Amino acid sequence: MSSIEPARQRRILTILVVSSLLIWIDSTVLGIALERLADPVEGLGATPGQLQWAIGIYSLLFATALFAAGALGDRYGHRTVLMLGLVVFGASSAWAAWADSPTSLIVARATMGLGGALLGPTSMAIIGWTFPPERRAGAIAVWSSAAGLGVAVGPVLGGLLIDHFWWGSVFLINLPIVAAGLLGARLVLPNPRSPQRRRLDPLGLGLSTLGLLGVSYGLIEGGHQGGWSRWQVWASIAAGLVLLAGFLYSEWREHEPSFDPRLFRNRRFAAGNLVLAGVFLTLTGQSFYLAFYLQGARGMSALTAGLMSLPSAAGVVLGSPLGARLAGRFGVAKVCGTALAAFALCHALNLTYLVDTSLVWVGVVGALAGLAIGATVAPTTAAVIATLPMDRIGAGSAVNNAIRQVGSVLGVAVLGTIVSSTYQHAIAPSLAGLPADARDAASVSAEATRHAAGAIHRPDLVGAANDAFLHAMHTAAVVAACFTLAGAIVLTLAFRQRVSSTPKVAEVVRR
């Protein structure tokens, strides 16, 4: 049992919540800046592929570095590693704020992902060392509440800054949080380390990172640079899959692997993680195209677009405890399967979004989507972890967190590529009469088409760009709806109630 007095426990938890805010604010705030970053005059003139990398590279490095973070904390002390993560996150945030090219922004975002990966596992470890078992679940719940606050505050504060300053100001949000976290960590946090130090697994880190990079590169570039028939696209995807297979094989042979593929022998663990990856895939992809819908096709200010995220954030906050209570009573299959079906419906309702659709309707659909996400993620995660024996819960939690981040990476790669490639095909007839150079430049994205329309005094191209973008967005929404509906079916079949497992799942879901 922890010997730390309750007053200090509360101070420790406060510092960990403040540090966790960085992860969640940064996961949402960039979406508000996408439209400005794509602008060739006020932004960096980033292409859709470059913007996909700017979002996806953060999740990719976050996912692959998670396991190394825990091992580093065991070896050098979790406060030490957490403070290192804060320093890396703060420095790379300043780098991103003053990035002078899309490539520089992408590299800065990758570094931010590494810094963010050092914060999560170390925070959980410090909570485990600080709080006794009877108070630990409540402390984790409070720590997790930073997600709702970050998701709600990030887009609004980011929109306010973009409307009054330059696009890079959204990254400066992180600097005062980093300063407060560093000061609090130094003064308040303990520095526990494990007597049994885990290996760092550089081979696994390298194989998983390069494998995901290869798959992501092929998916993104295939939709932007000349189509899918080029050998470079297929070779990149194939090489990425081979590297990922090598990663799984190397982890399978390890006695204590960082990422344990043997856990997937459990049908419910495998199905639940697959479904959660799909949820984050469609959620991240939807966030990507809705940012361009609100600020591009509809011409909203960044602040107004940020405010439009509040109904969804409120839905997540309400849906998480509601879903946990209902799943404890009626079972994960019924509650989460129904919630996923509702989320699929929300994707399908994106088909009703036009340039003049009522914002009230957009907010209602967003609130329903958030409610469905909250009612799915929290109880499904708890039920997945409940399938494991106590001595495997730590390993299972690490796998669960990594799988979610991988889903986010693939969401931007898959749905973002669908939007981009569909747009380029849809806008092509409207650009047919332009000179070759102007046509190539204008066909990259809706933002490029609108810019070209002003430069060559062709206002008709603005309407054509909006129509082509809406067609592309609707296509991606249909794909997302199919993904999510398939997930609902998989989850329902995998978690059909069985008497022998009901108490264990219900107990964990209720906690």
Side-chain angles (χ1 to χ4, degrees):
M1 178 176 292
S2 172
S3 60
I4 298 176
E5 64 274 13
R8 191 185 176 201
Q9 288 176 352
R10 289 190 291 269
R11 291 196 296 270
I12 290 171
L13 187 57
T14 299
I15 298 303
L16 295 178
V17 168
V18 169
S19 301
S20 179
L21 274 176
L22 287 169
I23 299 173
W24 296 104
I25 287 178
D26 196 73
S27 67
T28 58
V29 75
L30 183 60
I32 293 299
L34 291 177
E35 180 70 23
R36 191 68 57 87
L37 285 166
D39 192 295
V41 177
E42 297 185 12
L44 297 177
T47 67
Q50 290 168 332
L51 293 177
Q52 286 174 259
W53 277 115
I55 293 178
I57 197 70
Y58 173 86
S59 296
L60 192 154
L61 269 296
F62 194 108
T64 56
L66 275 174
F67 305 109
L72 286 170
D74 289 344
R75 190 176 290 256
Y76 300 109
H78 291 286
R79 182 188 65 188
T80 300
V81 175
L82 183 141
M83 293 181 70
L84 175 63
L86 288 171
V87 170
V88 171
F89 206 101
S92 54
S93 295
W95 179 5
W98 281 283
D100 57 1
S101 69
T103 300
S104 179
L105 176 63
I106 291 168
V107 177
R109 288 280 297 168
T111 310
M112 291 170 73
L114 288 174
L118 299 179
L119 302 179
T122 51
S123 294
M124 287 291 289
I126 292 173
I127 289 175
W129 281 83
T130 301
F131 289 86
E134 65 272 13
R135 299 189 61 196
R136 196 170 297 151
I140 293 173
V142 173
W143 179 73
S144 300
S145 67
L149 182 59
V151 169
V153 169
V156 177
L157 188 54
L160 185 65
L161 289 172
I162 287 180
D163 282 350
H164 292 85
F165 303 100
W166 89 111
W167 60 264
S169 61
V170 300
F171 296 109
L172 299 184
I173 299 172
N174 299 330
L175 299 186
I177 301 176
V178 166
L182 284 172
L183 180 61
R186 183 66 184 86
L187 297 176
V188 176
L189 296 185
N191 194 27
R193 64 185 71 191
S194 175
Q196 296 180 340
R197 299 177 179 180
R198 288 182 286 159
R199 66 187 187 91
L200 296 179
D201 193 16
L203 176 62
L205 178 63
L207 289 173
S208 59
T209 302
L210 293 175
L212 284 173
L213 278 172
V215 173
S216 299
Y217 176 85
L219 291 174
I220 293 173
E221 297 304 313
H224 295 288
Q225 303 293 332
W228 298 92
S229 59
R230 295 178 302 134
W231 69 267
Q232 296 95 327
V233 172
W234 289 107
S236 175
I237 295 174
L241 292 175
V242 169
L243 289 171
L244 290 175
F247 164 69
L248 293 176
Y249 177 74
S250 68
E251 297 298 292
W252 190 283
R253 296 185 62 186
E254 290 290 338
H255 178 65
E256 295 182 354
S258 300
F259 181 99
D260 193 350
R262 287 178 286 265
L263 295 175
F264 288 88
R265 290 171 172 171
N266 185 303
R267 177 174 61 89
R268 290 189 170 188
F269 183 87
N273 277 292
L274 176 64
V275 169
L276 288 171
V279 169
F280 280 84
L281 184 154
T282 58
L283 174 61
T284 308
Q286 182 191 52
S287 299
F288 182 80
Y289 65 68
L290 285 182
F292 292 102
Y293 166 70
L294 294 174
Q295 295 184 62
R298 299 200 60 138
M300 289 183 180
S301 68
L303 176 58
T304 304
L307 291 171
M308 288 302 300
S309 69
L310 291 180
S312 179
V316 172
V317 172
L318 294 174
S320 295
L322 177 63
R325 286 195 297 270
L326 292 177
R329 181 175 180 181
F330 299 107
V332 171
K334 292 180 180 178
V335 174
C336 297
T338 302
L340 272 175
F343 190 34
L345 174 63
C346 291
H347 285 304
L349 290 176
N350 288 169
L351 297 176
T352 66
Y353 290 3
L354 304 175
V355 292
D356 57 353
T357 299
S358 168
L359 293 182
V360 173
W361 174 244
V362 175
V364 168
V365 175
L368 178 60
L371 193 68
I373 293 166
T376 298
V377 173
T380 300
T381 301
V384 163
I385 299 302
T387 63
L388 303 175
M390 288 299 297
D391 62 340
R392 304 302 293 150
I393 285 180
S397 179
V399 169
N400 179 259
N401 286 324
I403 288 292
R404 292 197 216 180
Q405 295 298 327
V406 170
S408 297
V409 175
L410 295 179
V412 177
V414 174
L415 294 185
T417 296
I418 289 173
V419 170
S420 181
S421 59
T422 304
Y423 176 83
Q424 291 173 10
H425 283 90
I427 197 64
S430 300
L431 303 177
L434 299 181
D437 290 345
R439 183 174 64 248
D440 292 341
S443 65
V444 172
S445 65
E447 290 66 38
T449 305
R450 295 188 194 101
H451 178 73
I456 64 177
H457 307 292
R458 286 279 306 274
D460 59 296
L461 289 180
V462 174
N466 290 340
D467 290 341
F469 174 78
L470 288 173
H471 171 65
M473 182 182 76
H474 293 162
T475 302
V478 170
V479 174
C482 293
F483 264 114
T484 309
L485 188 59
I489 295 171
V490 169
L491 194 70
T492 301
L493 293 176
F495 282 88
R496 283 181 298 184
Q497 204 68 26
R498 291 186 304 187
V499 175
S500 59
S501 62
T502 300
K504 183 180 180 182
V505 173
E507 178 184 351
V508 174
V509 170
R510 285 193 185 103
R511 284 193 303 184

